[in-house]
Amino acid sequence: MTSLDVAVERLMSGEADALADANETWRRLREEAPVYDYGPITILSRYEDVRAAFRSPHMSKNQYVEGSWTEELRARLPEQSRTILTELRSFEAMYVTRSSGEDHIRRRRVAHRAFTPRRIAELADEIQGYTDMLVAELLEQDTPDFMQFAYELPLMAITSMLGMPKVDRERVRGWAGKLLVNLGAADPATLQECYDVIMELREYVRSAIEANRRTDERTHLVSTLMAAEEEQRLSEDELAAIYANFIAAGFETTMNLIGVGFLELLRHPDQWRLLCEDPQRRAPNAVEELLRYVSPAQWSLGLPVVDLEFNGHTVPAGRTIFVILAGANRDPDVFSDPERLDIERPNARDHLGLGFGPHFCLGSSLARIEGVIAFRTLAQRFPHAELAEGPIEWGSGSALRRPRRLPVHLGHAGSVPALN
Ligand code: HEM
């Protein structure tokens, strides 16, 4: 094994030290082996290749049902778990994220209706309200754990968007965690847990729809989705899959943007001061730069249906491809001085942090508005914020790495400290 093999192995297994050093490993991959074979998968880490994979009409999203990676996983499982895996994955195959071709177009079109500009504007008002409330909670503590804020805000936003009552928020948190663990699950217990979540979610959506049928006060999302069902463009299971997909795709990603984003801003006090000087104007580009620099979703995957060539290497049909967004987002061929956080970077918006092409993030407007409101408000309220001393322990796996805790000193509210 080469030292690069060891670094990749440690990162992919989610070891804390390797997660802390993830950007170094992605850099090595980009420079030393931009098309890298790792067991049953091929990893792409250069911007050009990642973008080409995203836009290729020959990449399917069925990688959780078939292809080299899933086949290897299936072979390792006992017979009974294989059946659970098949059922679980056939439900998840109805996610927009995992659909291809005509099914993808149809499901995406319906799911898209959840994000009309009017609905986003309504949600923005709610998100500002939640942010102010969470800021007030931060003010009550000496050294708050900022990850708590980073987790609460997207949880409130996603449950509002899904039209779920407050009492169900913790359920959503539990569901999200389990749905995501399943991303690379190879053990029967995790698969069973995830299967149970899906069953619970299906039931939840079914009763939400039932409840909505009996009343005129339909929540926005449920009525939008029900209209599609009534026009026979979606089945009830497909509706449940859209719910599950929003929870799996929209919660922990946004949590990372806010949590790791704040960490990086405080690690770069010059950039934090710059933002604090004019939060209203600078927050939108700062969020783009953080989507690039942090890459809240570090990687994604796909399955070539024909042999595809990347950077002179052929990846055969059926071999699962991992695309490293975090590698692409720091590619010096596209971003000058890529290791530098620069909230005024002119081409920050060229990042691939929200994907690219036909599967470009459906929740991008919600993710962006959450980021802008969070960082704008934090910069207005806490210009003296600093990281508390002590090491940061990373966790939660290679796809969604983030600190387990993020103790901060928020300092007194007030004017922006002078640049020195
Ligand atoms: C900072 C936050 C977010 C990040 C970094 C992020 C990232 C991504 C990425 C990289 C993709 C493309 C995946 C691929 O092609 O394999 C994607 C797709 C998607 N995202 Fe997001 N996302 C975020 C927030 C959200 C939110 C808030 C929602 C919904 C509430 C959402 C829903 C979706 C859906 C449904 C797709 C699938 C689109 C399709 O396949 O056509 N995302 N996201």
Side-chain angles (χ1 to χ4, degrees), residues 73-91:
L73 168 64
R74 193 180 293 281
R76 273 189 279 143
L77 287 172
E79 185 61 37
Q80 196 201 355
S81 305
R82 282 186 215 160
T83 315
I84 295 179
L85 183 74
T86 306
E87 274 194 50
L88 182 62
R89 295 283 166 91
S90 63
F91 175 77

Side-chain angles (χ1 to χ4, degrees), residues 54 61 96-97 104 108 158 249-250 253 300 325 353-355 359 361 363 367:
F54 268 136
K61 285 292 190 183
V96 184
T97 345
H104 176 242
R108 185 176 165 104
I158 193 98
T253 43
S300 178
L325 314 183
L354 295 165
H359 288 270
C361 178

